[in-house]
Amino acid sequence: MKYKQLFHQVIRYEDNISLFKIDIWRVNLFRETLIYGLPVSLIAIIPLLVTEIEGGKILFPIFNIVFIMSFMGLVLNRKIELDYKMVFVVAILYVVAVIYLFFVGAEGPGSIYLLMITVFSAMIFPERMAYVSLLINILICVGIGLILKFNLFPTPLSDSYDLSLWLAYSGNLIFVSFISILMITNVLNGFEKTIAKEGVLVKKLDASEKHYRNVFDSNPVPMYIFELRTGNFLKVNEAAVEKYGYSLEEFMKMNIADIRPADEISKLMDIFSTVRTREYTGLITHKNKKGDLFPVEIDTNIVTVDGVEARLVLSTDVSERLNYVRMIERQNQDLKDIAWIQSHMVRAPLTNIMSLTELMLQDPQSDQTDMLTMLKDSTDKLNEAIESIVKQAEQNQVTTNEKQHS
């Protein structure tokens, strides 16, 4: 564990980068390769070192020890910038591969190291830098070919290869290196595009989440989210805190049954079972911290909060709306009463007046005392009916004004 922590401390994406841009996933790959690659490579080198020492060759084991110490010193040096450190590591690996080729020959791991370094470079460096490793492989193979052709100095490779055979061998090595780089870069380019698209998608999702969170928090209508399984509150907005009188901390310890009157718990259970399978909208009664009851219209939606199935509830107080409905119903009843009064109390005396007037016009010379008395009586009744209608209308107007002010 301390071994991994050491590498995580000395190889970080936050370190200075000045040569070229390196994505964070490449840095992580570089670090993880060193973490697991170093122990494996040491295990692989030990048998070779034992063989060399038994054969009386001391120089090569000394070189390996110096290489390992230098390599670890470079990797663990915190003063070296990250991109330079990556380049130096690859350069040291190339030196080791060339030395293995020269001093161990075809039987050693030198050519395998060259191919491995090519793949490693293609994965940790940007695409243009990956092809630099291919160019280095070509230069190494050409250099060895010149050594073999002109026999510049003795090397174990001379025992296994002449120039033509080396050209065939190195040609295959370069071809495999090129194909490896081509395939790896194409795959990684697609991988980077996918990462870029995911990054854009994550940003959009974050922006969308932030937008809806703001809509939830700043909505003037009380809103809350409760867990479907338990009914416990998960989130409430400021409007709910203000409307119900409970603090946010109190809400988080409460259940949706706590804001319902006791005589409606059974109705709550029916609604609770309903919203398990679908959305629900309806008119119910809620109560605040003081125990005051008020009608609300709720609208629920299915949501998931941190992997927990829940319901989002929009709770609108409809007290004023219901009061207006009751007032309109009362006014309609008053209009019906007035219509009844008009049709019975007013129409009767008015009909009498019209009839008496007609009789008086038909016989203007007769004794009209009785008719005048009846006409006065009908007139008084008509006046009383009109006064009653006016009085009732005035009372209705006073009641309406009081409702509006309250």
Side-chain angles (χ1 to χ4, degrees):
M1 184 61 67
K2 291 183 178 179
Y3 169 75
K4 292 182 64 175
Q5 291 178 350
L6 177 62
F7 276 87
H8 280 272
Q9 291 174 358
V10 298
I11 303 176
R12 304 173 303 171
Y13 186 72
E14 294 78 9
D15 293 341
N16 294 330
I17 298 176
S18 57
L19 282 178
F20 37 75
K21 182 180 179 181
I22 305 175
D23 295 323
I24 186 170
W25 68 267
R26 293 184 186 270
V27 175
N28 292 335
L29 178 61
F30 172 70
R31 181 177 57 217
E32 296 302 314
T33 302
L34 293 181
I35 290 175
Y36 297 102
L38 283 175
V40 174
S41 62
L42 289 175
I43 295 173
I45 288 175
I46 289 175
L48 181 61
L49 295 179
V50 172
T51 302
E52 292 291 318
I53 293 174
E54 288 178 351
K57 299 177 181 179
I58 305 299
L59 182 61
F60 193 70
I62 293 176
F63 161 76
N64 278 278
I65 294 174
V66 172
F67 155 70
I68 293 172
M69 295 179 61
S70 302
F71 188 85
M72 293 300 296
L74 172 66
V75 170
L76 300 178
N77 192 329
R78 302 187 182 187
K79 296 181 180 180
I80 301 177
E81 295 182 7
L82 177 59
D83 47 3
Y84 280 101
K85 185 179 295 186
M86 296 171 72
V87 171
F88 290 156
V89 166
V90 172
I92 291 176
L93 291 176
Y94 265 118
V95 171
V96 173
V98 171
I99 291 176
Y100 269 100
L101 277 172
F102 278 121
F103 293 98
V104 181
E107 293 77 13
S111 57
I112 298 177
Y113 279 13
L114 286 179
L115 184 59
M116 180 198 71
I117 295 169
T118 302
V119 174
F120 183 54
S121 300
M123 297 184 71
I124 67 171
F125 292 125
E127 184 176 358
R128 67 181 187 276
M129 289 297 299
Y131 284 99
V132 172
S133 65
L134 177 62
L135 177 60
I136 294 174
N137 285 354
I138 294 174
L139 294 176
I140 291 174
C141 291
V142 170
I144 294 176
L146 292 174
I147 293 172
L148 293 175
K149 178 176 176 58
F150 296 105
N151 196 19
L152 298 179
F153 55 85
T155 169
L157 286 174
S158 303
D159 301 332
S160 303
Y161 295 95
D162 57 14
L163 180 59
S164 59
L165 188 58
W166 173 253
L167 289 177
Y169 177 83
S170 61
N172 282 284
L173 175 63
I174 293 171
F175 174 75
V176 173
S177 299
F178 172 74
I179 294 299
S180 299
I181 292 174
L182 185 64
M183 294 178 62
I184 291 172
T185 53
N186 285 336
V187 171
L188 294 183
N189 284 338
F191 177 66
E192 288 180 342
K193 290 179 180 178
T194 302
I195 291 177
K197 290 181 180 179
E198 288 182 352
V200 173
L201 180 61
V202 168
K203 288 182 180 179
K204 289 183 178 180
L205 290 175
D206 289 342
S208 178
E209 182 181 354
K210 183 177 180 181
H211 169 73
Y212 285 108
R213 190 186 306 115
N214 290 337
V215 170
F216 179 86
D217 292 336
S218 61
N219 198 311
V221 178
M223 299 179 69
Y224 56 84
I225 300 175
F226 67 90
E227 184 181 354
L228 181 59
R229 184 176 59 86
T230 63
N232 295 333
F233 287 105
L234 298 177
K235 291 183 179 181
V236 296
N237 66 354
E238 289 296 328
V241 170
E242 181 178 353
K243 179 65 180 178
Y244 292 88
Y246 296 101
S247 67
L248 182 61
E249 292 74 16
E250 289 175 322
F251 261 119
M252 293 302 99
K253 300 176 182 178
M254 293 169 55
N255 188 282
I256 56 173
D258 296 328
I259 60 172
R260 299 296 301 278
D263 57 351
E264 287 201 7
I265 297 300
S266 59
K267 184 178 180 181
L268 172 63
M269 293 300 102
D270 293 337
I271 296 174
F272 196 64
S273 61
T274 300
V275 297
R276 287 180 183 274
T277 56
R278 62 180 178 85
E279 298 177 357
Y280 175 82
T281 300
L283 194 66
I284 58 177
T285 302
H286 277 181
K287 68 175 181 178
N288 58 21
K289 188 175 182 178
K290 296 179 180 179
D292 300 329
L293 304 181
F294 54 92
V296 295
E297 184 179 56
I298 63 170
D299 189 5
T300 71
N301 290 296
I302 301 171
V303 296
T304 301
V305 179
D306 298 330
V308 177
E309 189 177 17
R311 292 296 181 271
L312 169 66
V313 180
L314 182 71
S315 175
T316 306
D317 187 346
V318 292
S319 300
E320 293 186 2
R321 186 196 308 174
L322 294 181
N323 289 337
Y324 276 116
V325 170
R326 295 189 187 99
M327 183 181 67
I328 291 173
E329 291 176 347
R330 188 178 296 108
Q331 289 177 342
N332 290 337
Q333 184 62 42
D334 292 340
L335 290 175
K336 291 180 180 179
D337 294 342
I338 291 174
W340 184 87
I341 293 173
Q342 190 272 342
S343 63
H344 293 80
M345 298 179 64
V346 176
R347 292 291 297 177
L350 182 60
T351 301
N352 291 337
I353 292 173
M354 294 172 64
S355 300
L356 292 172
T357 303
E358 183 66 24
L359 290 173
M360 292 175 66
L361 290 174
Q362 291 178 359
D363 189 9
Q365 302 300 323
S366 63
D367 186 7
Q368 299 178 352
T369 302
D370 294 337
M371 292 185 181
L372 289 174
T373 300
M374 294 173 63
L375 182 62
K376 183 177 183 307
D377 183 59
S378 297
T379 304
D380 290 340
K381 291 181 178 180
L382 178 61
N383 182 58
E384 290 176 0
I386 293 173
E387 288 180 351
S388 175
I389 294 171
V390 172
K391 184 177 180 180
Q392 185 171 356
E394 289 177 348
Q395 290 178 347
N396 292 339
Q397 183 63 35
V398 171
T399 302
T400 301
N401 291 337
E402 289 178 352
K403 294 261 182 209
Q404 291 176 345
H405 289 308
S406 61

